[in-house]
Amino acid sequence: MNSDVQIAGDPLAIPHLLPPVPAHPATVAGFAGLAREIAADHAAWAPLVRYDATTRWYHRLRRGPGYEVWLLSWLPGQGSGRHDHGPSSGVLTVLEGELDERTTGGDRTLTAGAQRVFAPGYVHEVVNTALAPAVSLHVYFPGLTDMPMHSARCAAGASHEAVTG
């Protein structure tokens, strides 16, 4: 009698043998944490950054269940225009350099490590007014499907929260 044990079929088809599915964020704090985690992995995102003198450069870095992560670069003078993010909430994290965020509630300078968390309908404009390039990370949940542009006279809209890291 043969004492060797053999498994018939594909062992990965048996759910209890599969590695656990990585958890994905389910809260605003979880998405802010995801942004900080990605920001801390400089070696993973820095080689991907490109700069374009004619327009802001952007690259979708990751897509998960119900969210997207975008990497953007900003040369001096480049800006987003006044906009909101449709039905998406978001986390903006400055990775390098500094960016100015303009709202009807006032302007603020965001330096490397700063985060802005915003709800659907929040209207702002982001501009690089510095003399050096900047890089930012944007997490949208649900994924970004709409980015309506607004005139400069529009109100800032929904509430937001600043987080610095």
Side-chain angles (χ1 to χ4, degrees):
M1 182 168 199
N2 188 350
S3 64
D4 292 333
V5 175
Q6 294 183 358
I7 298 176
D10 180 4
L12 296 180
I14 304 169
H16 70 277
L17 296 178
L18 292 174
V21 174
H24 62 278
T27 65
V28 172
F31 283 108
L34 173 65
R36 285 191 300 274
E37 176 186 309
I38 293 170
D41 193 358
H42 187 270
W45 60 260
L48 302 172
V49 175
R50 303 289 179 265
Y51 297 96
D52 186 329
T54 59
T55 186
R56 285 179 301 129
W57 172 88
Y58 53 92
H59 170 74
R60 186 168 43 212
L61 195 59
R62 184 184 297 182
R63 184 186 304 180
Y67 71 93
E68 293 179 330
V69 179
W70 291 85
L71 186 62
L72 281 74
S73 71
W74 312 72
L75 289 174
Q78 290 181 335
S80 65
R82 197 168 218 47
H83 67 281
D84 71 57
H85 303 92
S88 299
S89 294
V91 178
L92 178 158
T93 305
V94 179
L95 302 176
E96 293 180 350
E98 63 182 47
L99 295 168
D100 287 344
E101 182 190 36
R102 300 172 179 165
T103 69
T104 58
D107 298 350
R108 73 186 72 227
T109 299
L110 306 172
T111 58
Q115 285 190 314
R116 296 289 291 152
V117 176
F118 51 87
Y122 176 64
V123 179
H124 69 161
E125 179 178 22
V126 179
V127 181
N128 181 354
T129 60
L131 298 176
V135 179
S136 59
L137 184 78
H138 303 249
V139 180
Y140 299 109
F141 46 99
L144 193 61
T145 58
D146 195 18
M147 197 170 118
M149 301 305 288
H150 295 262
S151 73
R153 294 185 306 268
C154 288
S159 64
H160 61 280
E161 175 184 340
V163 180
T164 55

